[in-house]
């Protein structure tokens, strides 16, 4: 997912046994999840066997002048977050309760995630649900999005048109 301040790369899998997100920041052995796929990828020159990929990512981010180091998170899914150069808080709640760029951020999330619901939007933007609901109401009034499904059973939002 691409946000104004970061790129998040999600993988539904998990790290191999014995490998932690902390170990990804140091030299570590390569533990391919599927050796049958890893071998031809290695022979074709697309990957190496040393477990240096995450180190290369960190180094390249530093060389690019990124102020924040990449993050590696193992939650329900494995996630890598690459931060942009200017990472001021674009989602900070304003004095009037609005979100700086909030309506655009909500629209981008709905556009890039067909079938997203309010709780997903809330967790991705990390802003209060009431703020999200105000943005959604504004987008509905402008006929930019619509709600599909039944609210009680888990409906979702989609772009109109």
């Amino acid at each position: 997912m691409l946000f104004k301040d970061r790129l998040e790369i999600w993988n539904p899998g998990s790290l191999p046994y014995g490998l932690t997100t902390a170990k990804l920041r140091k030299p570590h052995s390569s533990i391919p999840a599927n050796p049958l796929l890893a071998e031809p990828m290695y022979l074709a020159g697309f990957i190496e066997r040393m477990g240096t990929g995450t180190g290369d990512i960190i180094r390249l981010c530093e060389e690019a002048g990124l102020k924040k180091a990449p993050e590696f998170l193992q939650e329900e899914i494995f996630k890598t977050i690459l931060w942009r150069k200017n990472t001021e808080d674009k989602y900070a709640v304003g004095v009037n309760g609005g979100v700086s760029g909030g309506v655009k951020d909500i629209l981008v999330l709905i556009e890039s995630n067909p079938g997203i619901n309010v709780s997903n939007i809330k967790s991705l933007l990390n802003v209060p649900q009431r703020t999200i609901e105000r943005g959604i109401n504004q987008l509905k009034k402008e006929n930019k999005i619509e709600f599909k499904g039944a609210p009680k059973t888990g409906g979702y939002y989609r772009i109109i048109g």
Side-chain angles (χ1 to χ4, degrees):
M1 294 194 62
L2 183 60
F3 297 91
K4 287 182 181 179
D5 63 341
R6 69 194 182 280
L7 169 67
E8 292 187 6
I9 304 162
W10 299 355
N11 181 320
S14 58
L15 291 172
Y17 178 76
L19 195 56
T20 66
T21 55
K23 287 181 180 177
L24 291 176
R25 299 193 163 282
K26 303 173 192 164
H28 59 276
S29 60
S30 178
I31 309 170
N34 188 335
L36 294 175
L37 288 177
E39 184 67 17
M41 296 294 281
Y42 168 74
L43 293 172
F46 291 113
I47 62 172
E48 55 7 82
R49 290 187 176 170
M50 302 304 294
T52 59
T54 52
D56 290 343
I57 291 170
I58 294 167
R59 180 182 50 78
L60 290 168
C61 287
E62 288 171 357
E63 288 174 8
L66 302 183
K67 292 177 183 165
K68 282 183 156 182
E71 293 180 32
F72 305 106
L73 306 169
Q74 180 65 68
E75 297 166 338
E76 303 85 39
I77 60 172
F78 180 76
K79 191 185 301 184
T80 301
I81 302 174
L82 304 175
W83 296 93
R84 292 182 59 119
K85 280 188 181 184
N86 299 322
T87 58
E88 71 242 21
D89 191 1
K90 300 200 184 280
Y91 306 115
V93 177
V95 177
N96 64 359
V99 174
S100 162
V103 172
K104 286 183 191 173
D105 296 332
I106 294 168
L107 194 57
V108 167
L109 276 178
I110 293 171
E111 201 168 42
S112 60
N113 297 283
I116 196 167
N117 61 31
V118 173
S119 63
N120 294 133
I121 294 169
K122 180 179 179 282
S123 68
L124 291 170
L125 291 181
N126 196 25
V127 296
Q129 184 159 339
R130 185 174 173 139
T131 303
I132 300 294
E133 289 169 355
R134 276 193 292 242
I136 286 173
N137 287 335
Q138 181 179 339
L139 289 167
K140 286 195 302 193
K141 283 180 191 173
E142 295 171 1
N143 290 319
K144 292 184 178 179
I145 64 170
E146 67 181 349
F147 185 80
K148 290 292 206 178
K152 290 182 182 178
T153 59
Y156 61 92
Y157 291 93
R158 71 176 198 92
I159 302 291
I160 295 177

